[in-house]
Amino acid sequence: MAAKPGIPKGTRDFSPVEMAKRNYIFNTIRDVYHLYGFQQIETPSMEMLSTLMGKYGEEGDKLLFKIQNSGDYFSGITDEELLSRNAAKLASKFCEKGLRYDLTVPFARYVVMHRDEITFPFKRYQIQPVWRADRPQKGRYREFYQCDADVVGSDSLLNEVELMQIVDTVFTRFGIRVCIKINNRKILTGIAEIIGEADKIVDITVAIDKLDKIGLDNVNKELAEKGISEEAIVKLQPIILLSGTNAEKLATLKTVLSDSETGLKGVEESEFILNTLQTMGLKNEIELDLTLARGLNYYTGAIFEVKALDVQIGSITGGGRYDNLTGVFGMAGGSGVGISFGADRIFDVLNQLELYPKEAVNGTQLLFINFGEKEAAFSMGILSKARAAGIRAEIFPDAAKMKKQMSYANVKNIPFVAIVGENEMNEGKAMLKNMENGEQQLVTAEELIGALTK
């Protein structure tokens, strides 16, 4: 007996109903991106490892899926190297390519490669899958889609403002209540400076970014393990636990960071973004959150994260400003800012809250029952007209028992069934049955189309 097939942990199959839901998500996000002037690109699923490595920090590098070279990948490797069992070193010889970890680094590579064809500022969006060799858990997958929008080639903070408007518009359309959290890496750098640990900024941001997940005590423990002094950790406490309104937090930070030029620049940028958004009438809450660090090395300015208010799940959107990402590919001054919607987590949130519109998940609207060759031929004429009018319609392919065909309609949640027998053909009409309430009416092709396109 053949073994039952399976799929890798952290990946999923999607049924037709699930795909309809996912397409609703992608189409909603795509429509909003278009409203703000973004254009779509795509990049390959795999990139050269040299493109990916070193862009996500030490933890991110460990989560890269590496692709084994084709051909004789043992050539050029000594017996000593093989016997060393040094996985990282051997992987660097066996693997030249890797699956993309996100869409931002491939985008930076794209900008550098195509700089002579691009008009700046370049506003692009990208909706494609990414892969991470992470431990699968609720809301976290090894293969998942990201829906990114980035602006490269502009330093203006109006880009950050518009990206927050996009976030607000998308989640308002979905009907998901969210809190948009904002911070600035310059503020975090300033904090590291005033507590006397400027060289430990990466360790500090990686640790405090875990506050929601592991709690304050464990964050402090991790900070100590990274060699940050007890005195510095004590100084850090009131800053990361700062409360009050956004204006009150900014006022406090201006005092606390008065000796840090970088920190004050971050406060100034945050104040502009928050004050401008206040005049835009956002539907969702926006909060300055100093514990937000987004543990990726490439962020240099504003950083964002979105939390769903009615469902327990991790961040469902994130992003920020990166002033130097294209520099690692030989193009200095390529300032950029972007956001990424986590489509798979949004899918789970919409499922839990049952927020999908009925029309978004319904497939076929009309099924023609098949009683035989003559009836099917007559039905095909009306079917063609219905499709031409934009009605999603099909005919059961076999002249099966009526019970089987009606069961097919019920299982697929088809709201209308057209029944064409000898009497209907003699009158040049079809019997249209509403599957919800059971009502039937004899209609012409035009009347049928009118009933379904109301």
Side-chain angles (χ1 to χ4, degrees), residues 1 47 58 107 191 229 263 322 391 409 414 433 439 453:
M1 184 174 160
E47 294 274 354
E58 193 178 331
F107 170 55
I191 290 168
S229 71
Y322 45 90
I391 295 166
I414 299 173
K433 180 172 182 175
E439 288 180 5
T453 54

Side-chain angles (χ1 to χ4, degrees), residues 17 63 87 106 196 216 236 253 255 266 268 271 283 330 422 437:
V17 170
L63 300 182
L216 185 60
L236 196 56
L253 285 170
T255 304
E268 181 190 323
E271 192 167 35
K283 303 288 193 298
E422 195 169 331
N437 59 27

Side-chain angles (χ1 to χ4, degrees), residues 112-381:
V112 173
M113 284 186 68
H114 298 273
R115 69 181 96 180
D116 294 335
E117 308 151 33
I118 292 171
T119 301
F120 293 98
F122 182 40
K123 300 171 78 170
R124 89 78 169 88
Y125 78 88
Q126 205 169 338
I127 299 176
Q128 287 187 274
V130 299
W131 294 267
R132 295 184 185 178
D134 213 342
R135 186 170 62 85
Q137 53 187 283
K138 185 180 178 183
R140 180 171 289 182
Y141 306 99
R142 285 175 169 166
E143 178 186 60
F144 55 97
Y145 267 75
Q146 286 185 338
C147 309
D148 283 19
D150 288 79
V151 185
V152 70
S154 169
D155 294 322
S156 172
L157 293 172
L158 288 178
N159 296 311
E160 278 86 337
V161 170
E162 286 210 330
L163 289 172
M164 292 305 92
Q165 288 180 281
I166 287 173
V167 168
D168 184 65
T169 303
V170 165
F171 286 110
T172 299
R173 291 191 178 191
F174 285 143
I176 299 173
R177 293 192 320 120
V178 298
C179 177
I180 304 167
K181 293 177 178 284
I182 179 173
N183 198 8
N184 195 298
R185 287 299 286 261
K186 293 185 179 78
I187 291 176
L188 293 169
T189 300
I191 290 168
E193 285 176 6
I194 63 152
I195 66 171
E197 298 282 2
D199 59 328
K200 297 280 180 64
I201 178 61
V202 173
D203 291 332
I204 292 169
T205 55
V206 168
I208 68 173
D209 197 43
K210 298 174 183 174
L211 187 68
D212 281 352
K213 298 170 194 166
I214 64 176
L216 185 60
D217 289 345
N218 286 321
V219 167
N220 290 337
K221 184 181 174 185
E222 184 170 323
L223 289 168
E225 287 169 356
K226 294 290 185 181
I228 293 157
S229 71
E230 189 177 337
E231 182 187 355
I233 293 170
V234 169
K235 284 183 183 176
L236 196 56
Q237 303 310 292
I239 300 170
I240 63 174
L241 296 175
L242 190 64
S243 60
T245 65
N246 292 334
E248 287 167 347
K249 289 175 185 174
L250 288 167
T252 302
L253 285 170
K254 284 176 185 176
T255 304
V256 170
L257 299 176
S258 58
D259 292 333
S260 170
E261 187 181 339
T262 302
L264 288 177
K265 180 67 176 168
V267 174
E268 181 190 323
E269 290 177 3
S270 301
E271 192 167 35
F272 175 86
I273 295 165
L274 290 166
N275 288 347
T276 308
L277 286 169
Q278 204 167 8
T279 68
M280 299 293 173
L282 296 190
K283 303 288 193 298
N284 291 283
E285 176 190 354
I286 185 159
E287 176 195 346
L288 179 65
D289 182 356
L290 297 185
T291 68
L292 173 61
R294 305 258 335 138
L296 296 178
N297 284 347
Y298 54 65
Y299 290 124
T300 55
I303 45 180
F304 322 108
E305 203 157 271
V306 179
K307 299 278 188 183
L309 296 177
D310 300 315
V311 172
Q312 283 291 105
I313 198 166
S315 160
I316 53 178
T317 297
R321 165 74 63 174
Y322 45 90
D323 283 340
N324 53 7
L325 191 59
T326 55
V328 299
F329 297 123
M331 179 179 165
S335 178
V337 59
I339 52 170
S340 178
F341 288 95
D344 293 85
R345 288 188 177 182
I346 293 170
F347 176 88
D348 290 344
V349 171
L350 288 170
N351 269 339
Q352 287 185 56
L353 299 177
E354 297 182 349
L355 287 173
Y356 288 100
K358 194 174 181 181
E359 62 272 15
V361 295
N362 281 356
T364 301
Q365 297 167 275
L366 174 66
L367 173 71
F368 282 82
I369 299 296
N370 187 340
F371 287 120
E373 282 186 32
K374 284 190 299 179
E375 293 87 346
F378 181 88
S379 296
M380 289 293 284

